């Protein structure tokens, strides 16, 4: 009898974006922190809302991004 060929799961396609801000801030998405601006955010392909906040939380800003496979780009978030 023939045995089925087992295939390794393909890793999810990813994209990345460099996130900066008008003032230093902590970059996060869905509770996951990516470090201080400028920060490289690498995530599986999809739509995301990236948040940037000053360390003391007094200023925040958000940007919506759509990552495609191998995508790269840059977004500057204005914190208010």
């Amino acid at each position: 009898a023939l045995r089925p060929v087992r295939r390794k799961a393909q890793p999810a396609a990813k994209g990345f974006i460099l996130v900066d801000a008008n003032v230093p801030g902590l970059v996060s998405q869905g509770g996951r922190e990516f470090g201080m601006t400028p920060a490289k955010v690498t995530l599986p392909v999809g739509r995301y809302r990236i948040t940037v906040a000053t360390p003391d939380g007094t200023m925040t800003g958000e940007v919506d991004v759509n990552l495609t496979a191998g995508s790269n780009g840059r977004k500057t978030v204005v914190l208010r």
Side-chain angles (χ1 to χ4, degrees):
L2 293 175
R3 293 190 339 214
V5 175
R6 290 186 181 242
R7 296 180 188 207
K8 291 184 179 180
Q10 293 295 321
K14 293 188 177 189
F16 73 88
I17 189 163
L18 187 65
V19 179
D20 208 348
N22 58 324
V23 296
L26 180 64
V27 178
S28 64
Q29 188 284 317
R32 180 176 169 197
E33 294 181 351
F34 290 91
M36 295 295 289
T37 55
K40 182 179 177 181
V41 176
T42 302
L43 291 165
V45 168
R47 296 182 66 83
Y48 299 94
R49 176 162 287 167
I50 307 291
T51 302
V52 182
T54 54
D56 63 6
T58 58
M59 298 172 70
T60 61
E62 294 180 330
V63 63
D64 291 321
V65 297
N66 185 20
L67 297 180
T68 57
S71 66
N72 61 60
R74 183 181 190 110
K75 290 280 187 177
T76 300
V77 180
V78 177
L79 304 190
R80 297 190 170 104

